[in-house]
Amino acid sequence: MKNKILNKINNFDDFNLQTKKSENDGDIMDIAFKDVITASQSATIIEIANLMVEKDIRRVPITDPGSGKLLGIVTTMDILDFFGGGKKYNLITEKHKGNFLSAINAPIKEIMTNGVKTMTNKDTIIDAATLMLEEHIGGCPIVNSEDKIVGMVTEGDVVSKFDKIIADLEVQDIMATDIITTTPGTRIEGIAKIMVRNSLRRVPIVGENPQSQSKEELLGFVTASDILKYIGEHKLFAKLFSNEGDDVVDITVDELMITDMITASKYDKLADIADTMFESNIRGIPVVDDDSGKIIGIVTIRDLLKAIVQ
């Protein structure tokens, strides 16, 4: 994979990239975000969810308060898994006997991901692109020789470095057409399960549009971050008629889906798509048919990264 990336970028003369580890800082630090927000493993699940919403971040490294060493990481998908999407929901149903209020105040260490994939400050941008594609991760912490966090690098950081490689390609060249969608009546627990089980960060919402009488028109979009915002804005507490978790997740996605969407045409250039993603701080755009309004694909930041090395 690494050689494939190197061969691709060698056709461009002005990247001036490092190709092997450096004795000091590698060029990964040129694109890394250095003011990384971390948390301790004693922070509660709801505190981390609120932190993600407040700071508009998708992952929080968990560190030891004394040494500052990396212990784990929590992503939006971990929170969704807990919220009803996967195995971490057992924390509510089993350990906390269905007491949702108790479970969301459990320490984050109970659902954080251990064995975190990391980069070092001596690594290269090419190393980062390789790791993210091979491990199917959207970002990773950068640590120094003492295993302390010194930065964070994401798919978007890599794409912003190399986006001119794919500038002239069209959306139809890379978009995913095997799309998983759902309807406005899907419960929030159901869409969380769809996301976690299929490793999706976003799901289009389709249904009938009364104005156009179309039965499969794109009506909205729900992302993992939208669900976190719903949690973080404390709307869920209004649903706590009892301590049962089912009372909390018994809402439908039409209550939180985004209807004022940014969409793309299959003929749009990837240079424009990349610019839109970075300017609007989004990582996925639905592709709709120009005539029918039906969704025909989706293009994500991961698709852009893959296209760079194809």
Side-chain angles (χ1 to χ4, degrees), residues 38-52:
T38 64
S40 74
Q41 58 183 344
S42 62
T44 65
I45 294 170
I46 190 62
E47 285 173 344
I48 297 300
N50 287 337
L51 178 66
M52 287 179 170

Side-chain angles (χ1 to χ4, degrees), residues 105-131:
N105 284 286
I108 197 66
K109 66 179 180 181
E110 298 199 29
I111 68 166
M112 74 180 187
T113 298
N114 299 298
V116 187
K117 299 295 181 182
T118 62
M119 305 296 300
T120 77
N121 60 302
K122 298 181 179 182
D123 283 324
T124 70
I125 297 173
I126 300 301
D127 292 326
T130 302
L131 179 70

Side-chain angles (χ1 to χ4, degrees), residues 20-74:
K20 60 182 180 179
K21 285 182 182 291
S22 170
E23 292 184 4
N24 299 306
D25 278 348
D27 65 3
I28 190 174
M29 298 306 295
D30 295 339
I31 66 170
F33 178 74
K34 300 178 181 67
D35 190 17
V36 182
I37 296 170
T38 64
S40 74
Q41 58 183 344
S42 62
T44 65
I45 294 170
I46 190 62
E47 285 173 344
I48 297 300
N50 287 337
L51 178 66
M52 287 179 170
V53 172
E54 178 188 352
K55 301 298 184 180
D56 193 21
I57 52 179
R58 298 172 176 88
R59 52 189 66 83
V60 177
I62 306 301
T63 58
D64 180 77
S67 66
K69 290 185 177 181
L70 180 66
L71 301 175
I73 196 166
V74 180

Side-chain angles (χ1 to χ4, degrees), residues 169-180:
L169 293 177
E170 293 182 343
V171 167
Q172 63 182 337
D173 295 324
I174 70 164
M175 70 181 187
T177 55
D178 185 15
I179 317 161
I180 295 176

Side-chain angles (χ1 to χ4, degrees), residues 207-227:
E208 183 175 355
N209 186 335
Q211 296 180 347
S212 64
Q213 296 182 341
S214 170
K215 294 184 178 180
E216 295 184 4
E217 190 168 327
L218 178 66
L219 302 178
F221 213 58
V222 173
T223 69
S225 295
D226 294 329
I227 297 177

Side-chain angles (χ1 to χ4, degrees), residues 96-154:
H96 292 270
K97 310 300 182 185
N99 187 322
F100 186 83
L101 191 56
S102 173
I104 62 174
N105 284 286
I108 197 66
K109 66 179 180 181
E110 298 199 29
I111 68 166
M112 74 180 187
T113 298
N114 299 298
V116 187
K117 299 295 181 182
T118 62
M119 305 296 300
T120 77
N121 60 302
K122 298 181 179 182
D123 283 324
T124 70
I125 297 173
I126 300 301
D127 292 326
T130 302
L131 179 70
M132 283 186 255
L133 286 174
E134 289 182 345
E135 299 294 336
H136 306 287
I137 55 177
C140 62
I142 303 170
V143 298
N144 61 18
S145 59
E146 298 177 347
D147 205 28
K148 294 181 180 180
I149 299 279
V150 293
M152 180 78 74
V153 63
T154 69

